Amino acid sequence: DAGVIQSPRHEVTEMGQEVTLRCKPISGHNSLFWYRQTMMRGLELLIYFNNNVPIDDSGMPEDRFSAKMPNASFSTLKIQPSEPRDSAVYFCASSGQGQETQYFGPGTRLLVL
Amino acid sequence: DQQVKQNSPSLSVQEGRISILNCDYTNSMFDYFLWYKKYPAEGPTFLISISSIKDKNEDGRFTVFLNKSAKHLSLHIVPSQPGDSAVYFCAASLDNYGQNFVFGPGTRLSVLP
């Protein structure tokens, strides 16, 4: 199995630009999670979906952040406009029905200048 | 306020000796706990878990201990190997359905040859 796939692996952009991060969960998994890792806050959950429906987005920092899951095999996390404080590593994870753990992708390292 | 705490940002251990990583939590409703390991430039990978109905779970060189009254869990690695050098995240959940994990900030373990 290919595991969770994220793209791009690295993104460097300028403040004010739109950033779109992409995730393909493991085939057959019905839950998808977006996390952000920073030195200050560690690994924090931004939003998660069950069967393509957003369940909890309380971790989304502000309206500049949005996430979609148009189908079971694809999700996006968008930041518009981006700011330097958004610089972090963004992870996508997925889990299957009845599974007790989550499987993480390799992450996208975002740098906003 | 952090619900899951790992008060040691880093730990160094000699190869062959025991590594003990600690984790404390504040929410007594947490029912399921996990440890993840993360290598640089990779996503976290699941290591071991424990349900609140147990006080110990063992998998090879890795053992997790849970003390519910103290709201404390620990991960023991015996014997430690250089390949164990990584960042270890403790996570807690209200259930074991693979959703809504709260992660600690992580502890960086260095196993010295």
Side-chain angles (χ1 to χ4, degrees), chain A residues 59-100:
Chain A
M60 296 286 260
E62 45 198 276
D63 292 344
R64 296 184 297 108
F65 286 70
S66 62
K68 293 182 180 179
M69 192 164 185
N71 57 63
S73 58
F74 183 67
S75 177
T76 60
L77 177 68
K78 187 174 293 187
I79 309 173
Q80 166 65 15
S82 58
E83 297 182 2
R85 59 191 168 123
D86 301 329
S87 298
V89 181
Y90 291 81
F91 289 102
C92 175
S94 69
S95 68
Q97 189 77 31
Q99 286 188 327
E100 298 176 344

Side-chain angles (χ1 to χ4, degrees), chain A residues 9 30-31 33 35 37 40-43 45 48 50 56 91 95-96 98-107 109, chain B residues 2 32 34 36 38 41-47 49 87 89 95-106 108:
Chain A
R9 292 294 309 273
N30 65 327
S31 296
F33 309 82
Y35 289 89
Q37 184 189 16
M40 292 295 293
R41 301 175 69 89
L43 197 60
L45 178 67
Y48 79 92
N50 267 0
D56 184 356
F91 289 102
S95 68
Q99 286 188 327
E100 298 176 344
T101 188
Q102 298 172 13
Y103 298 85
F104 281 76
R109 185 174 294 274
Chain B
Q2 280 190 339
Y32 182 63
L34 311 91
Y36 277 78
K38 184 185 179 305
E42 295 183 11
T45 55
F46 171 71
L47 189 58
S49 64
V87 176
F89 291 98
D95 55 53
N96 62 344
Y97 299 133
Q99 300 185 3
N100 219 345
F101 294 166
V102 179
F103 282 84
R108 181 177 301 277

